[in-house]
């Protein structure tokens, strides 16, 4: 497999994240925001989105695993790294790279909700249209895309391509 057609350019991602960051800044004005990045995929989105958030925001990360090296969701979610801090009475914004089946996020939301945060919302750069297997509310979403497997901007294929500055499709072939 190799890098295929560019689906979303670096420029388009940048202006979308700026837009999302402005909305987040307005909505959380005067509140103590904790942004929670879901590793590994969200590390790039988190860094770039956060620089458009004009608030004294705090950060934490979780690591979960839902895929092996394959491109199919397994439905099995494991928490590999939990939050460092308590989130009771905190305004929590989960930052995701992509929502595919929604199983990962659904599991995360459930396990965080029982910790009684003041609020719990989701920001995702990409949402795959119409294939969520569970109903989800994504408060801040960047782009709706088709069902194809994509790479770049944090998204990997077998651990690679996360550093591409754009989102691309995969293509058959070497490299
Ligand atoms: P879900 O549980 O099916 O929503 O999958 C969520 C996770 O699967 C994401 O956080 C990604 O790590 C991974 N994933 C889903 N679709 C893609 C894709 O098209 N490219 C790369 N990773 C993906
Ligand atoms: Mg992945």
């Amino acid at each position: 497999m190799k890098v295929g057609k560019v689906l979303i350019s670096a420029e388009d991602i940048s202006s979308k994240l700026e837009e999302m960051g402005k909305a987040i800044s307005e909505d959380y004005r005067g509140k103590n925001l904790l942004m929670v990045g879901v590793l590994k995929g969200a590390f790039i989105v988190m860094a770039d989105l956060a620089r458009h958030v004009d608030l004294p925001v705090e950060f934490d990360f979780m690591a979960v695993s839902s895929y092996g090296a394959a491109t199919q969701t397994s439905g099995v979610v494991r928490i590999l790294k939990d939050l460092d801090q308590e989130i009771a009475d905190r305004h929590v914004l989960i930052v995701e790279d992509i929502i595919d089946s929604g199983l990962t996020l659904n599991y995360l939301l459930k396990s965080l909700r029982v910790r009684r945060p003041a609020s719990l919302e989701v920001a995702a750069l990409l949402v795959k249209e119409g294939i969520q297997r569970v109903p989800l509310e994504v408060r801040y979403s960047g782009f709706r895309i088709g069902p194809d497997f994509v790479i770049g901007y944090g998204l990997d294929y077998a651990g690679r391509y996360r550093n591409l500055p754009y989102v691309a499709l995969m293509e058959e072939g070497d490299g």
Side-chain angles (χ1 to χ4, degrees), residues 14-77:
S14 172
S15 49
K16 184 65 77 177
L17 290 178
E18 182 173 357
E19 215 177 276
M20 291 166 72
K22 278 188 182 147
I24 291 166
S25 306
E26 282 172 26
D27 294 350
Y28 289 92
R29 187 83 53 208
K31 291 177 179 158
N32 259 324
L33 176 60
L34 176 68
M35 288 175 77
V36 171
V38 184
L39 296 172
K40 306 186 183 78
F43 80 110
I44 294 193
V45 176
M46 176 86 139
D48 287 349
L49 174 63
R51 275 176 284 187
H52 293 294
V53 176
D54 182 23
L55 297 171
V57 50
E58 288 176 57
F59 298 94
D60 207 339
F61 290 93
M62 285 183 89
V64 298
S65 155
S66 65
Y67 282 21
T71 58
Q72 282 282 302
T73 199
S74 64
V76 179
V77 180

Side-chain angles (χ1 to χ4, degrees), residues 79-97:
I79 292 188
L80 306 178
K81 183 216 169 291
D82 205 339
L83 295 172
D84 291 338
Q85 35 191 311
E86 311 252 314
I87 57 166
D89 302 320
R90 298 294 312 265
H91 292 281
V92 177
L93 179 63
I94 298 182
V95 179
E96 263 283 28
D97 49 359

